Amino acid sequence: MPADSAQRGIRIAAVADTHLRPAVAGKFRPDFLRLAEHADVLLLAGDLTDGGTRAETELLCAEIADLPVPVAAVLGNHDHDHRLGFRISAQLNDIGVHMLEGTAITLELAGIRLGIAGVMGGNQLPPS
């Protein structure tokens, strides 16, 4: 590992319970767009939407599309409220988010390999 990478390390930003809904839409985006100034990766930890609706998913995707750092995420119990968690995952995956559900990924960041594993911790409703 290069000496400068070892000295700097990896900077991780982590956010949970964003509960995206119209009342908070757009509030995270300005800070998310500046993430590269402070972090090398963003971890999103559950309850990304307020109730798992399609409209909330669209708001979420608008909030985190095209960020300057890689994003890894797990869904939370509220993301499954309308039994659409699989669609939320698919839409996030389509915009480049690494979706984790009992899985893991390895990212190469600043010359350092970072392993990230994820699983939802709340009660998940089965798909209908």
Side-chain angles (χ1 to χ4, degrees), residues 17-42:
D17 297 299
T18 54
H19 289 274
L20 253 294
R21 59 194 181 280
V24 297
K27 292 188 178 184
F28 298 100
R29 183 97 176 136
D31 290 325
F32 283 167
L33 288 173
R34 294 190 348 253
L35 267 177
E37 299 170 20
H38 307 285
D40 299 307
V41 63
L42 173 62

Side-chain angles (χ1 to χ4, degrees), residues 67-89:
L67 294 186
V69 299
V71 180
V74 295
L75 297 181
N77 61 307
H78 288 283
D79 300 314
H80 292 278
D81 284 353
H82 283 91
R83 300 181 183 262
L84 297 174
F86 66 98
R87 288 196 181 178
I88 296 171
S89 288

Side-chain angles (χ1 to χ4, degrees), residues 43-114:
L43 307 180
L44 297 174
D47 290 346
L48 308 178
T49 63
D50 200 44
T53 67
R54 290 178 190 215
E56 291 168 352
T57 302
E58 293 297 326
L59 294 174
L60 173 64
C61 288
E63 206 81 14
I64 62 174
D66 302 316
L67 294 186
V69 299
V71 180
V74 295
L75 297 181
N77 61 307
H78 288 283
D79 300 314
H80 292 278
D81 284 353
H82 283 91
R83 300 181 183 262
L84 297 174
F86 66 98
R87 288 196 181 178
I88 296 171
S89 288
Q91 283 185 253
L92 291 174
N93 189 62
D94 287 347
I95 64 168
V97 175
H98 302 279
M99 293 306 299
L100 304 172
E101 179 51 53
T103 58
I105 59 166
T106 302
L107 300 175
E108 182 84 22
L109 303 167
I112 300 171
R113 290 177 52 152
L114 173 67

